[in-house]
Amino acid sequence: MNRVRLLHFNAALGPLDYRLPEGMDAPPGTVVSAPLGPRQIIGIVWEKGRLPADEVPDAKLRPLLGKLPVPPLKESLRRLIEWTADYYCAHPASVARMVLSSGGALKGPATMTEYRLTDQTPERMTPQREAAIDALQGEQATIRELAGIAGVSEGVLRGLVNQGVLEPVEVDCDRPFERARPDFHLPSLSPAQREVADRFAGAVSEGGFAPFLLDGVTGSGKTETYFEGIAEALKKGQQVLVLLPEIALTEAFLRRFEDRFGAPPVTWHSSLKSTERRRAWRAIAAGTAQVVVGARSALFLPYANLGLIVVDEAHEVSFKQDDGVRYNARDVAVMRARFEKIPVILASATPALESLQMAEAGIYEKLDLPSRFGGAELPDIETLDLTKEPPQRGHWIAPRLVEEMKVRLERGEQSLLFLNRRGYAPLTLCRHCGYRFQCPNCSAWLVEHRLSRRLACHHCGHETPTPDKCPECGEPDCLVACGPGVERIADEVAEILPEARVAIATSDTLNSPEKIAHFVGSVEEGAVDVIVGTQLVTKGFHFPELTLVGVVDADLGLEGGDLRAAERTYQQVAQVAGRAGRGEKRGEVIIQTRHPDAPVIAALAAGDRDAFYEAEAEARRHAGAPPFGRWAAIIVSSEDENEAREAARQIGATRPNLPDVQILGPAPAPLSLLRGRYRHRLLINARRSAQLQDVIREWLGSLKFPVGVRVNVDIDPYSFV
Ligand code: ADP
Ligand code: ZN
């Protein structure tokens, strides 16, 4: 029978059946266009039966319109789509969307017109034209992109085209990427590194599913070792995917990659231009993109011939996606490797407890790099008890830490202060009437950003200029900043060490590859004495002259205490500590805390990682928390407060009663208002034996809600707000 079933993007409609026109061959995985009412939709031919659908009589089927000019999705990727949808209680349509994530790529080969400057000058020079010409030196892109780069309207640039100042260039949208060469620059590895590298290369050469946990201290050369796995895949003509938790890390990675392989890898992240996106997507699907480095969304691309997946900094929370399909890229990476039958490397200096547990159970092969490369020693770590050695009034840096910073400044070395809070102050209030600035869309305070003179919500992006008088009582000059953010700490450094050159490193200040490159360059040149940064500076960076790390407030992460608070604090502090003393000079770390005896702080100071993980594992075992039990969250939201509460109540009232599943709530979520939606939450704690997803599907599947209500399921949640 020539009936085919399509997976398409419209989740509400479910799968649709079509007739295969005479002479058309469309095996499973083929990407096709099909009619739907008066419109055309894009779909993926699926195996019959895998996706349930109501049977439409053969006679009523409409024919497919045609095949799209892209290779069919491989069986391994189709299994991944099904597994991801199933495991995360998401719709396969939403996962398919992440696979076919470039509309342009689906249209097939194409050329486009880009523009670049000639040496003509315009007949009439205006300040706008002059600025545009300055900004566009060396650039070549579409008019729209150039307008974005130059910050002028497209009209201004069209004027320049008419005058011959900009000339059109016809380019192939899919021009090939530079080839990486496995033997471009061979490293000389230490014996320990060599052993690990050989294991990776061997696994790639052999092929087959092989999950590795690469557990190596900061500065041990984890990257160097997995590069040898990449080299082996390149030799075999296979592709490699490297997932990084943050675009900020990409710059340094690109440089090292190019040094080793003689050409940059292909990058994939959300801020690619649509032309870059289509070019990368098509090269990935054609198998000509050899190594792809990207954010978690790169995981769902249609690699033609994948040979290895690396998840670097695999413990990072940002691998968990918290909207749309709520998946954990670390875990999906392992599943993808299983379906592709290839090795996968999870690399970290502070692995997640879940990963360590998998190694202990013998499921992952654990490889260790216990010492730093080149004999650099791990830094000394000490705690500074803020209750015994308080900072001056209105300050946050205690005298002993100030002294150590002074010493570094005198020696021409660098210090790093870590505080995981962007902006100047987390709360602003009126001294006169007590008014607090709150986000109109979220149950959250507005954070003052003094550099950009605004108050901002870190949840929804709402912003308002900082007023000069209280909006409630009208009193002028009465606003008080409460608590510190990095900007405020930077001010404090400027006050106590006026001659120090201070750089603030956060996602606000380092929000583009250029700014990151500039920051890294100026630290390397020694043009910065003190870095004040958020979690952005905890990983990846290698600054040999940085010999002191101060953790401004180690207790911050422990507040509010969700399931992973202690682990996250451990990871963040250990990672930021790992920035100290990476060169020849020994590093020192000072952790400011009010609770030096808290197990996580004590373990950090003692450098006793095993003790921390053991205690943490015991606590989790006791609580039935991952990896010993499982959590899921159901989040119910609506713009209408009553509607949200009522839907949550209804879910609560129909809860299943099962021996291995415990259901808590419903209750208002800690962030009870987010982006204008009222939120209620149920938490589910299940034994490992429970069929958690089936239980949830069956439970929610029978309920009906008003259109304004959203019910989101979060399996293995990381966020408990
Ligand atoms: P990790 O990722 O484990 O923190 P990196 O791979 O970033 O460690 O290595 C730390 C530093 O040591 C980097 O600057 C790296 O270039 C250098 N390094 C590590 N191994 C070698 C090696 N075998 N040869 C030369 N440099 C190395
Ligand atoms: Zn908000």
Side-chain angles (χ1 to χ4, degrees), residues 439-442 444 457-462 675:
C439 177
N441 315 317
C442 305
C457 172
H458 286 182
H459 296 284
C460 72
H462 170 84
R675 294 187 200 98

mmCIF file of all heavy atoms in Angstrom, residues 439-442 444 457-462 675, ligand 2:
data_model
loop_
_atom_site.group_PDB
_atom_site.id
_atom_site.type_symbol
_atom_site.label_atom_id
_atom_site.label_comp_id
_atom_site.label_asym_id
_atom_site.label_seq_id
_atom_site.Cartn_x
_atom_site.Cartn_y
_atom_site.Cartn_z
ATOM 1 N N CYS A 439 9.249 43.470 39.747
ATOM 2 C CA CYS A 439 8.892 43.306 38.339
ATOM 3 C C CYS A 439 7.382 43.239 38.200
ATOM 4 O O CYS A 439 6.720 42.545 38.962
ATOM 5 C CB CYS A 439 9.518 42.028 37.782
ATOM 6 S SG CYS A 439 9.022 41.737 36.069
ATOM 7 N N PRO A 440 6.807 43.963 37.222
ATOM 8 C CA PRO A 440 5.352 43.888 37.038
ATOM 9 C C PRO A 440 4.899 42.524 36.495
ATOM 10 O O PRO A 440 3.728 42.171 36.638
ATOM 11 C CB PRO A 440 5.059 44.995 36.017
ATOM 12 C CG PRO A 440 6.358 45.243 35.320
ATOM 13 C CD PRO A 440 7.438 44.910 36.306
ATOM 14 N N ASN A 441 5.807 41.755 35.885
ATOM 15 C CA ASN A 441 5.419 40.478 35.263
ATOM 16 C C ASN A 441 5.800 39.258 36.082
ATOM 17 O O ASN A 441 5.400 38.140 35.740
ATOM 18 C CB ASN A 441 6.096 40.316 33.896
ATOM 19 C CG ASN A 441 6.020 41.572 33.068
ATOM 20 O OD1 ASN A 441 4.970 42.211 33.020
ATOM 21 N ND2 ASN A 441 7.121 41.955 32.455
ATOM 22 N N CYS A 442 6.652 39.443 37.111
ATOM 23 C CA CYS A 442 7.196 38.286 37.819
ATOM 24 C C CYS A 442 7.185 38.568 39.316
ATOM 25 O O CYS A 442 7.273 39.717 39.730
ATOM 26 C CB CYS A 442 8.655 38.023 37.424
ATOM 27 S SG CYS A 442 8.916 37.846 35.657
ATOM 28 N N ALA A 444 9.438 38.856 41.476
ATOM 29 C CA ALA A 444 10.888 38.978 41.653
ATOM 30 C C ALA A 444 11.243 40.455 41.793
ATOM 31 O O ALA A 444 10.539 41.319 41.261
ATOM 32 C CB ALA A 444 11.616 38.391 40.446
ATOM 33 N N CYS A 457 14.626 42.974 35.345
ATOM 34 C CA CYS A 457 14.190 41.690 35.877
ATOM 35 C C CYS A 457 15.009 40.604 35.191
ATOM 36 O O CYS A 457 15.056 40.544 33.967
ATOM 37 C CB CYS A 457 12.706 41.474 35.597
ATOM 38 S SG CYS A 457 12.171 39.803 36.014
ATOM 39 N N HIS A 458 15.650 39.753 35.975
ATOM 40 C CA HIS A 458 16.489 38.712 35.389
ATOM 41 C C HIS A 458 15.679 37.498 34.945
ATOM 42 O O HIS A 458 16.226 36.542 34.429
ATOM 43 C CB HIS A 458 17.586 38.304 36.371
ATOM 44 C CG HIS A 458 18.664 39.342 36.495
ATOM 45 N ND1 HIS A 458 19.765 39.197 37.272
ATOM 46 C CD2 HIS A 458 18.790 40.555 35.898
ATOM 47 C CE1 HIS A 458 20.540 40.266 37.172
ATOM 48 N NE2 HIS A 458 19.954 41.114 36.350
ATOM 49 N N HIS A 459 14.380 37.555 35.147
ATOM 50 C CA HIS A 459 13.544 36.437 34.710
ATOM 51 C C HIS A 459 12.869 36.692 33.365
ATOM 52 O O HIS A 459 12.797 35.814 32.534
ATOM 53 C CB HIS A 459 12.478 36.121 35.762
ATOM 54 C CG HIS A 459 13.080 35.661 37.055
ATOM 55 N ND1 HIS A 459 13.582 34.405 37.216
ATOM 56 C CD2 HIS A 459 13.301 36.318 38.215
ATOM 57 C CE1 HIS A 459 14.070 34.281 38.449
ATOM 58 N NE2 HIS A 459 13.917 35.437 39.066
ATOM 59 N N CYS A 460 12.351 37.910 33.183
ATOM 60 C CA CYS A 460 11.585 38.152 31.954
ATOM 61 C C CYS A 460 12.215 39.210 31.064
ATOM 62 O O CYS A 460 11.767 39.433 29.951
ATOM 63 C CB CYS A 460 10.162 38.590 32.298
ATOM 64 S SG CYS A 460 10.078 40.249 32.971
ATOM 65 N N GLY A 461 13.248 39.900 31.563
ATOM 66 C CA GLY A 461 13.894 40.900 30.729
ATOM 67 C C GLY A 461 13.274 42.295 30.834
ATOM 68 O O GLY A 461 13.739 43.227 30.190
ATOM 69 N N HIS A 462 12.224 42.441 31.662
ATOM 70 C CA HIS A 462 11.625 43.768 31.840
ATOM 71 C C HIS A 462 12.689 44.759 32.335
ATOM 72 O O HIS A 462 13.490 44.434 33.195
ATOM 73 C CB HIS A 462 10.483 43.675 32.859
ATOM 74 C CG HIS A 462 9.964 45.007 33.301
ATOM 75 N ND1 HIS A 462 9.015 45.701 32.580
ATOM 76 C CD2 HIS A 462 10.283 45.780 34.363
ATOM 77 C CE1 HIS A 462 8.772 46.851 33.200
ATOM 78 N NE2 HIS A 462 9.517 46.917 34.276
ATOM 79 N N ARG A 675 6.715 36.049 33.845
ATOM 80 C CA ARG A 675 6.334 36.568 32.534
ATOM 81 C C ARG A 675 4.823 36.726 32.421
ATOM 82 O O ARG A 675 4.220 36.344 31.425
ATOM 83 C CB ARG A 675 6.834 35.663 31.415
ATOM 84 C CG ARG A 675 8.343 35.630 31.322
ATOM 85 C CD ARG A 675 8.838 34.876 30.116
ATOM 86 N NE ARG A 675 10.217 34.485 30.335
ATOM 87 C CZ ARG A 675 10.603 33.286 30.759
ATOM 88 N NH1 ARG A 675 9.709 32.336 30.965
ATOM 89 N NH2 ARG A 675 11.863 33.027 30.963
HETATM 90 ZN ZN ZN B 2 10.066 39.850 35.255
#
